[in-house]
């Protein structure tokens, strides 16, 4: 029988893989994809608890999370396009303008 | 045959979860951005299937429309537009992080173990597929819409402003004047 805990474990694994990707990858585009992965893991949590509690508020907030994810993707990809115009690279190690 | 009928939900869950995790692994393991994007698409579709399994049909449809349809096309379009031929070398960066990765791996295993223990020791909840809205029985989409526009109208409007700001920001950053003002090194 599938319980909420199964979904939480799946969400945990997806979230961890997203964090690992952000830390490990140096390609800006892949890092953005990992952020999408993390937001999706948050959505799995929202839906799992909405299902367990029989309350639709979690589903409403999943809609908001998806909206924010779309806005974040648009901004991030806009930054990538501007970055490639200025620096001709998407490697995060080569764009440490702010000494990060 | 009886086994499959009795455990249908569990089999579907494990299949979709395996696809989702494999897709997520592909995102961080595959070198080429296009391959990573297609791998991410597999994850999104599998997660949408999991939403259907949890009776969140509207969110599943939104997930496919916006993630698989909108965000993924945007990613692939930018990858094609940028067309980076020299992929950065990442092996030397990985070696320094090996101890941290080991510690985090142990932590992940402990958390998964706790979750697996909790999954076997707690009874599952199984709410009704249809919900009561204003005294009437309604489907998932109607119920979500009712909640969204009645209880969460202000957050809904705020989110529309966030989308507007994101759109303006993307347009401003995508302009050509930026290039001419700064000059290319």
């Amino acid at each position: 029988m599938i319980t909420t805990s199964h979904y939480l474990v799946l969400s945990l694994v997806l979230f961890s893989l997203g964090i690992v990707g952000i830390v490990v990858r140096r390609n800006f585009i892949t890092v953005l994809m990992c952020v999408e992965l993390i937001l999706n893991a948050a959505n799995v949590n929202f839906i799992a608890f909405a299902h367990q509690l029989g309350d639709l508020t979690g589903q409403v907030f999943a809609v908001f999370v998806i909206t924010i994810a779309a806005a974040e993707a648009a901004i991030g990809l806009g930054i990538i396009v501007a970055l490639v115009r200025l620096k001709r690279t998407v490697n995060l190690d080569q764009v440490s303008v702010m000494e990060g | 045959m009886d086994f499959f009928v009795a455990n249908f939900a569990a089999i579907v869950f494990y299949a979709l979860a395996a696809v989702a995790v494999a897709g997520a692994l592909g995102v961080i393991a595959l070198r080429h951005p296009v391959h990573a994007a297609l791998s991410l698409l597999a994850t999104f579709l599998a997660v949408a299937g999991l939403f259907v399994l949890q009776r969140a049909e509207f969110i599943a449809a939104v997930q496919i429309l916006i993630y698989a349809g909108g965000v993924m096309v945007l990613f692939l379009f930018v990858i094609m537009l940028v067309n980076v031929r020299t992929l950065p070398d990442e092996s030397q960066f990985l070696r320094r992080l090996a101890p941290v990765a080991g510690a985090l791996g142990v932590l992940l295993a402990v958390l998964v173990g706790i979750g697996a223990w909790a999954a076997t020791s707690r009874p599952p909840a199984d709410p009704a597929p249809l919900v009561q809205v204003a005294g009437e029985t309604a489907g998932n989409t109607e119920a979500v819409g009712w909640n969204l526009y009645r209880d969460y109208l202000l957050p809904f409007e705020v989110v529309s402003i966030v989308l507007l700001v994101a759109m303006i920001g993307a347009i401003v950053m995508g302009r050509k004047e930026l290039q001419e003002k700064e000059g290319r090194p």
Side-chain angles (χ1 to χ4, degrees):
Chain A
M1 197 65 201
I2 301 302
T3 61
T4 304
S5 300
H6 286 85
Y7 286 98
L8 297 188
V9 169
L10 172 71
S11 165
L12 172 68
V13 171
L14 289 181
F15 181 85
S16 308
L17 286 172
I19 291 285
V20 167
I22 286 179
V23 173
V24 159
R25 301 303 304 228
R26 297 291 90 195
N27 188 334
F28 199 168
I29 301 175
T30 314
V31 169
L32 268 185
M33 288 186 210
C34 292
V35 174
E36 300 289 330
L37 211 54
I38 288 174
L39 289 169
N40 227 320
N43 264 350
V44 171
N45 262 5
F46 269 127
I47 301 294
F49 280 117
H51 185 240
Q52 187 194 13
L53 300 174
D55 188 349
L56 283 173
T57 307
Q59 298 192 12
V60 172
F61 271 85
V63 172
F64 289 141
V65 171
I66 288 175
T67 315
I68 299 299
E72 172 261 327
I75 289 282
L77 293 169
I79 290 175
I80 287 177
V81 170
L83 198 64
V84 168
R85 278 219 189 108
L86 291 173
K87 298 252 181 191
R88 311 300 301 167
T89 182
V90 286
N91 189 340
L92 285 174
D93 283 340
Q94 293 173 16
V95 292
S96 53
V97 184
M98 296 179 17
E99 308 298 329
Chain B
M1 200 62 204
D2 288 341
F3 173 77
F4 286 106
V5 173
N7 296 308
F8 184 69
I11 291 167
V12 171
F13 170 82
Y14 283 118
L16 288 175
V19 171
V21 172
L25 274 174
V27 171
I28 67 171
L30 292 174
R31 243 150 197 251
H32 202 285
V34 173
H35 298 166
L38 293 176
S39 186
L40 186 62
L41 180 63
T43 300
F44 285 160
L45 293 179
V47 170
L50 288 173
F51 289 168
V52 173
L53 209 59
Q54 288 178 299
R55 290 170 183 153
E57 293 90 358
F58 176 68
I59 308 295
V62 167
Q63 165 105 356
I64 289 176
L65 280 176
I66 294 185
Y67 269 125
V71 172
M72 198 45 60
V73 169
L74 201 61
F75 266 107
L76 288 172
F77 188 73
V78 167
I79 291 169
M80 306 291 178
L81 191 72
V82 166
N83 194 15
V84 185
R85 284 183 191 81
T86 51
L87 294 171
D89 183 32
E90 291 163 354
S91 55
Q92 138 252 10
F93 187 76
L94 277 174
R95 220 164 287 137
R96 270 187 291 144
L97 285 172
V100 184
L104 288 177
V106 170
L107 185 63
L108 175 66
V110 169
L111 285 174
V112 169
I114 292 172
W117 170 78
T120 54
S121 64
R122 222 172 278 170
D126 196 23
L130 296 174
V131 286
Q132 295 288 322
V133 169
E136 289 178 21
T137 309
N140 179 251
T141 306
E142 188 180 348
V144 170
W146 190 272
N147 253 0
L148 188 60
Y149 293 119
R150 190 194 53 186
D151 296 342
Y152 295 98
L153 188 60
L154 182 64
F156 180 78
E157 297 294 344
V158 171
V159 143
S160 72
I161 292 176
V162 168
L163 274 180
L164 179 68
V165 169
M167 199 169 70
I168 293 172
I171 290 171
V172 166
M173 276 183 293
R175 277 187 317 169
K176 270 225 153 66
E177 287 82 40
L178 202 61
Q179 181 185 356
E180 287 149 17
K181 231 182 283 171
E182 300 278 334
R184 196 177 294 163

